Amino acid sequence: MKKCFILILTLFCIVPLLTAAPTPRIKGILVEAGSKKPIDFADILLFVNGNESPVSHTLPETDGSFSISGINDGEYTLLIKLVGFDIYSRSNLVLNSSTPLLNLGTIEMKALEVGLAEVEIVAQKKQIIYKLDKKVIEASSNLLANGGSAVDILENTPSIRVDAEGNVSFRGSSGFAVYVDGKPSVFSGTQALEQIPSGHIENIELITTPSARHDTEGDVGIINIITKKHSQQGLSGMVNISGSTVYSRALDFLLTQQNLKSRWYVGGAYTERVRKSDFNQEKKTIVADTATTSHSDGPRRSRGFNYSLKAGWLYTLTQTTFNLDVEGGYGGTTRNGNLDYTEERKANGSVFEQGDYLSHDRYEIDETYLHGTVGFAHKFDNKGHNLTGSFYAKYGGDALEYFSSDLIDDKGQRQQGHRAYEDEHRWTIRANLDYLYPYRETGRLEAGYQYFSYLEDGDYSMEFWNPGKREFYWRNDIYNTFYFQRGINSFYGILADSYRSFDFQVGVRAEHTHRVLRSSKEWANRTVNRFEFFPSAHIGYNFPKEHTVTASFSRRTTRPQLFYMEPYITYRDYYSAEIGNPDIRPEYINSYELNYKKNIDIHAISATFFHRNRKDKIERLRVPYEAGVTLDSMANVGHDYSTGLELSVQVQPIRWWNVNINGSLYHYKVKNEYKLGNSNETSTNYEIAFNNGFDAGKYTRIQLDGNFVGPSVTTQGRTDAFWYANLAIRQQLFKRKLNATLSFRDMFNSARYNSRINTSVLQSYTKIRPKYPLIMLTLSYTFNNFKASSSQGRETHDLFEGTNH
């Protein structure tokens, strides 16, 4: 921590030297012709007259502005390329002593009337775009996300891993925050990513070392999903429909009207994402002198669903824009299994009980939600001086977590069973005020305030089966009420500037957290007040010949969620119980990154070296509870460290073949405080994805993927490696207004999930095999020239169901 403050202090000390530095040689602003919407994805190339290789290659900022530094006097040609737009070219740009800075003003890019599809054969968007403080994942870079969700798009990035139940982790952690257009998602974590149809996504920002501007939650950063927003005048829209051989199905639409000063939209989604697997588990538990051995075998199924409607309105005055967005719906997840279950119990080496059963278990979590945002953005001038504000509120009503489990004997009689209910109501409030002042051409100051509040209250109850009376009865000793509220007040400040080819950004965020936990178990009541600082720093340098290097640091935290702390036992099925820990501590994470990027004509290579150390790592631990029953609890298991390298290569060997290779290699170590001898778990994790895109004709595109996922470890066991391959074919019809995509996932039926837990009192071995074949057909239709990239992304590893059992 001390080193971090020294770094920030050093950077602040050099600011007076930077403010006297010369400004960039060329600058301008990119906008769409007609709508004047800023463009932030174009390739801006500068050539010395007579040369074919560019001397500079840059990208615009989110407001469309760009600048070119570090070039000598001379005559140049500027070329700007963007898929779906006419190429902009301007020659005879002269730089000399009398024109040290050439301001090109506003450059309007004209959309091609044939639309995006007409130019796909000759120009593909970059899969990953690297900026100073984030990576931008282009949603249209892959066919296999058609009919999918944000998870499918994200899977194309290095170090992303999806386990057998579809849970996303990044660099070995599931501690990421999810936002949609800069606002918190309705749901959290993987569930948030699965609820957003890929057809509504423009791109995804992966912010691995967030600046002080962003929330501090999420140990590996923030995933910000940018949704499509039509920008051309008039009425337009799109409809997507899909279905699969495992009965996944989805229907979504988006309708937009763009006027001169206003825009409104309405959209909706009906999504049911199904996973089916064959599940096999052997488990042995030891409680006192009793050893219980069990074997479960059979099918498991999960279904993530979301039914929603959304609408929004935006109005622009001369200098101020107002917006209103609302969304309501019903969503959640269900899981169930129908397994053959055998059990044997021994004491002192003698078997005293055994049986064969049919096990039925079901888990549901669902919520009816309504959320909305009102906001404004005021421009004091056209140089970036602005003030923005927003207020967000969400209510989750009739939220229910339901568990049921039954053991049926060979005569069809229920021998054991239980039902568990957790009814909840949830409120989320978030208010922001952000100010940006550009104190010179390349420098800016930012400051802001945020208030965040989350409140949840409800109760938990259970009923058990009485074999003698042949009825369920309520367990009053288990009944519990709970109340949880967390409020965070945050202030931040950022200083950013450039000097020739050098860019930097430093900041600090101060947060005060007030947390209240109350329940029927008064011994577990807790009130916490905490004041903390979270610094960040980002620097970048553009070397000659398009070599770019950036470095960054960010301090983060993961605050315990309510289910981490609930001080009462709940059941996921008859032989799997859970309990929270009211004294669990937050995690604190220091993240460091060093990035290198090189453009070679139309090809690109990038590499990221990262290191993350985490204090008080939170992890689920599993121990025997009763004979044949295990108990999961959250605990601060110690410290962990991740150090590794991510590599991305994008090449086009020939005109009709594009190749993207993404790989990661990192070493992971857990200093485990919960293992005898205080021994550590280590692993070398590696993953590689090989993505091939082939233009098979003017209207046909084929994609072939290969994926290898290496082994991983936890504090109690490990998961084996697996591999799979995918194939997708897209055909465009009716003047490219209709896209039909047929995808075949895990086409060689090679994916296997094998996981082991091995402690002195618990051994388990779980094997999961996804249902085969998994084929999906997606139809996408756009009308009135809807101007947004088709959302296509990448296959996930979420082929399995049952990893938490």
Side-chain angles (χ1 to χ4, degrees):
M1 189 71 176
K2 181 178 179 181
K3 293 180 180 179
C4 301
F5 280 109
I6 292 175
L7 173 61
I8 292 175
L9 181 61
T10 302
L11 291 172
F12 268 104
C13 290
I14 67 173
V15 169
L17 297 176
L18 298 176
T19 56
T23 58
R25 304 302 306 272
I26 299 175
K27 70 174 185 176
I29 298 176
L30 287 186
V31 300
E32 292 185 15
S35 69
K36 310 300 182 185
K37 178 184 176 182
I39 293 175
D40 63 350
F41 278 114
D43 289 298
I44 302 171
L45 306 168
L46 187 69
F47 299 83
V48 175
N49 285 354
N51 289 349
E52 295 183 357
S53 299
V55 295
S56 176
H57 179 196
T58 188
L59 299 170
E61 299 297 328
T62 54
D63 61 356
S65 64
F66 68 90
S67 62
I68 301 175
S69 306
I71 54 176
N72 300 322
D73 291 346
E75 295 186 8
Y76 296 90
T77 296
L78 185 72
L79 189 69
I80 303 176
K81 299 189 298 182
L82 177 61
V83 176
F85 288 81
D86 198 3
I87 294 176
Y88 175 88
S89 178
R90 183 168 176 176
S91 57
N92 299 322
L93 300 178
V94 179
L95 294 176
N96 52 41
S97 58
S98 61
T99 56
L101 172 63
L102 187 59
N103 189 347
L104 303 180
T106 300
I107 298 174
E108 297 187 359
M109 299 289 288
K110 296 180 180 180
L112 292 170
E113 293 183 1
V114 294
L116 175 65
E118 288 288 349
V119 295
E120 285 182 324
I121 295 178
V122 297
Q124 295 292 329
K125 286 192 176 182
K126 287 183 171 60
Q127 185 184 43
I128 304 176
I129 296 176
Y130 290 81
K131 296 196 173 183
L132 183 63
D133 59 350
K134 62 189 173 187
K135 299 180 182 72
V136 181
I137 312 303
E138 178 52 53
S140 62
S141 61
N142 192 297
L143 300 180
L144 280 157
N146 276 333
S149 68
V151 175
D152 300 271
I153 299 170
L154 272 175
E155 193 61 25
N156 207 27
T157 61
S159 296
I160 289 285
R161 178 178 293 218
V162 182
D163 71 13
E165 277 189 325
N167 297 310
V168 176
S169 63
F170 180 54
R171 293 177 181 172
S173 173
S174 59
F176 52 84
V178 179
Y179 289 86
V180 180
D181 293 326
K183 301 181 287 289
S185 170
V186 175
F187 301 99
S188 61
T190 301
Q191 188 180 11
L193 299 174
E194 287 195 331
Q195 300 303 325
I196 304 173
S198 62
H200 287 198
I201 299 174
E202 180 74 18
N203 55 64
I204 299 178
E205 297 177 345
L206 192 63
I207 311 171
T208 52
T209 53
S211 69
R213 179 188 310 111
H214 300 288
D215 290 353
T216 58
E217 278 286 337
D219 62 347
V220 290
I222 296 171
I223 296 174
N224 184 32
I225 298 172
I226 307 299
T227 59
K228 293 179 177 178
K229 301 173 185 66
H230 177 64
S231 58
Q232 293 193 177
Q233 297 290 324
L235 180 68
S236 61
M238 64 176 184
V239 179
N240 304 290
I241 185 171
S242 65
S244 79
T245 52
V246 294
Y247 304 110
S248 290
R249 55 237 185 224
L251 171 66
D252 63 80
F253 73 94
L254 185 61
L255 186 67
T256 300
Q257 172 72 40
Q258 176 72 52
N259 301 317
L260 185 61
K261 291 187 176 182
S262 65
R263 181 182 75 232
W264 62 261
Y265 72 87
V266 61
Y270 171 93
T271 304
E272 293 194 355
R273 187 180 179 90
V274 177
R275 282 187 296 270
K276 293 182 178 180
S277 293
D278 292 322
F279 177 89
N280 187 289
Q281 183 182 73
E282 297 176 357
K283 183 166 62 174
K284 181 179 181 180
T285 62
I286 301 175
V287 179
D289 60 349
T290 299
T292 303
T293 302
S294 64
H295 181 217
S296 305
D297 182 57
R300 299 203 62 84
R301 179 182 185 271
S302 71
R303 179 177 67 99
F305 60 92
N306 185 47
Y307 320 119
S308 64
L309 290 172
K310 63 180 181 179
W313 175 76
L314 179 145
Y315 186 79
T316 302
L317 297 174
T318 304
Q319 296 290 106
T320 307
T321 298
F322 300 94
N323 69 281
L324 171 66
D325 301 275
V326 294
E327 182 177 6
Y330 172 67
T333 301
T334 66
R335 300 190 187 105
N336 59 73
N338 295 290
L339 311 176
D340 293 323
Y341 179 75
T342 61
E343 184 178 88
E344 180 183 85
R345 300 185 182 184
K346 291 182 179 180
N348 300 319
S350 300
V351 177
F352 67 90
E353 184 179 341
Q354 61 183 4
D356 296 321
Y357 305 96
L358 181 62
S359 171
H360 299 296
D361 64 83
R362 182 174 179 84
Y363 165 75
E364 295 182 19
I365 178 170
D366 55 67
E367 178 184 56
T368 302
Y369 60 87
L370 177 66
H371 68 106
T373 301
V374 293
F376 75 91
H378 177 74
K379 294 182 178 180
F380 295 99
D381 54 35
N382 292 323
K383 298 180 180 180
H385 187 195
N386 59 62
L387 177 69
T388 60
S390 65
F391 178 82
Y392 167 87
K394 178 220 166 184
Y395 173 68
D398 301 321
L400 175 67
E401 289 189 56
Y402 170 75
F403 303 81
S404 70
S405 182
D406 295 296
L407 288 182
I408 309 299
D409 63 19
D410 55 3
K411 298 179 181 180
Q413 298 294 316
R414 180 188 290 112
Q415 295 299 315
Q416 300 172 348
H418 85 275
R419 306 286 184 268
Y421 312 84
E422 190 166 9
D423 296 288
E424 304 165 346
H425 295 271
R426 305 161 181 159
W427 276 99
T428 303
I429 293 175
R430 175 187 174 113
N432 291 78
L433 190 65
D434 301 280
Y435 176 73
L436 189 152
Y437 174 69
Y439 61 86
R440 70 183 192 117
E441 291 286 346
T442 60
R444 70 181 189 274
L445 292 170
E446 296 183 47
Y449 166 77
Q450 175 182 287
Y451 174 73
F452 173 84
S453 175
Y454 176 79
L455 184 150
E456 181 176 333
D457 72 294
D459 61 8
Y460 179 80
S461 56
M462 285 193 67
E463 51 182 349
F464 281 73
W465 178 252
N466 186 325
K469 295 183 178 181
R470 311 297 300 171
E471 64 182 14
F472 284 97
Y473 66 97
W474 292 101
R475 286 275 303 268
N476 294 328
D477 59 317
I478 290 180
Y479 178 78
N480 193 80
T481 60
F482 57 88
Y483 171 89
F484 175 77
Q485 194 274 332
R486 175 185 285 138
I488 304 174
N489 287 278
S490 306
F491 297 88
Y492 75 87
I494 292 176
L495 172 66
D497 211 327
S498 299
Y499 172 63
R500 294 187 180 273
S501 298
F502 174 74
D503 302 305
F504 81 90
Q505 175 180 285
V506 292
V508 65
R509 189 178 184 95
E511 293 192 342
H512 177 266
T513 302
H514 175 74
R515 191 189 75 197
V516 177
L517 175 65
R518 299 284 184 268
S519 72
S520 299
K521 302 189 182 300
E522 296 184 0
W523 61 267
N525 292 347
R526 302 289 189 273
T527 299
V528 174
N529 285 283
R530 186 179 291 111
F531 186 79
E532 300 163 305
F533 288 96
F534 297 90
S536 66
H538 299 75
I539 58 175
Y541 191 83
N542 295 307
F543 291 91
K545 299 183 179 180
E546 298 189 68
H547 297 272
T548 301
V549 175
T550 62
S552 57
F553 163 79
S554 181
R555 178 172 168 81
R556 312 285 296 161
T557 187
T558 299
R559 299 179 177 93
Q561 302 180 43
L562 174 59
F563 75 88
Y564 290 5
M565 300 180 288
E566 293 170 334
Y568 47 87
I569 291 178
T570 62
Y571 282 79
R572 186 165 54 247
D573 52 52
Y574 191 82
Y575 35 85
S576 303
E578 298 175 331
I579 190 171
N581 177 3
D583 293 314
I584 198 166
R585 301 181 299 276
E587 297 176 337
Y588 292 98
I589 305 98
N590 292 317
S591 296
Y592 307 84
E593 281 192 11
L594 180 65
N595 302 286
Y596 168 78
K597 179 172 70 76
K598 166 66 176 174
N599 292 317
I600 309 171
D601 195 15
I602 61 175
H603 316 297
I605 183 172
S606 58
T608 300
F609 174 80
F610 65 88
H611 175 75
R612 186 186 75 234
N613 60 73
R614 174 168 45 181
K615 177 184 178 184
D616 289 333
K617 170 181 168 61
I618 297 174
E619 188 170 296
R620 184 186 303 273
L621 296 181
R622 178 169 292 180
V623 297
Y625 176 54
E626 296 175 345
V629 180
T630 57
L631 178 66
D632 290 356
S633 180
M634 308 303 292
N636 297 106
V637 298
H639 309 320
D640 72 348
Y641 307 85
S642 296
T643 303
L645 177 69
E646 297 168 349
L647 183 67
S648 178
V649 179
Q650 302 172 51
V651 298
Q652 187 175 358
I654 50 181
R655 183 184 59 82
W656 48 268
W657 180 21
N658 288 277
V659 179
N660 291 290
I661 303 173
N662 292 313
S664 67
L665 174 67
Y666 64 96
H667 180 74
Y668 180 70
K669 180 173 71 173
V670 182
K671 287 190 174 180
N672 185 4
E673 298 177 355
Y674 279 79
K675 199 167 185 178
L676 293 178
N678 198 33
S679 61
N680 303 323
E681 295 287 350
T682 64
S683 69
T684 299
N685 301 271
Y686 46 93
E687 302 158 7
I688 188 167
F690 189 71
N691 178 304
N692 296 270
F694 304 95
D695 295 315
K698 187 175 181 180
Y699 303 104
T700 307
R701 185 165 176 79
I702 300 173
Q703 181 175 307
L704 177 63
D705 283 359
N707 302 270
F708 179 82
V709 182
S712 62
V713 301
T714 67
T715 55
Q716 291 187 308
R718 66 185 298 109
T719 301
D720 294 344
F722 62 94
W723 70 275
Y724 60 93
N726 309 306
L727 176 69
I729 303 173
R730 184 191 65 192
Q731 182 68 42
Q732 297 177 320
L733 305 165
F734 304 118
K735 297 182 179 180
R736 305 185 191 272
K737 291 183 178 295
L738 177 66
N739 287 340
T741 304
L742 183 68
S743 62
F744 197 144
R745 305 188 180 192
D746 186 27
M747 59 182 181
F748 299 119
N749 194 23
S750 60
R752 301 290 185 272
Y753 178 88
N754 298 325
S755 177
R756 296 171 175 81
I757 295 177
N758 189 10
T759 71
S760 59
V761 292
L762 170 65
Q763 295 90 44
S764 72
Y765 180 37
T766 304
K767 296 185 291 184
I768 304 173
R769 178 178 180 176
K771 286 293 186 181
Y772 181 85
L774 178 53
I775 302 173
M776 175 174 286
L777 175 65
T778 302
L779 301 177
S780 302
Y781 181 77
T782 62
F783 59 91
N784 289 358
N785 196 27
F786 186 89
K787 190 68 186 70
S789 61
S790 61
S791 174
Q792 299 153 357
R794 141 146 190 142
E795 161 64 346
T796 71
H797 307 316
D798 59 340
L799 303 166
F800 315 92
E801 162 56 30
T803 55
N804 282 338
H805 294 269

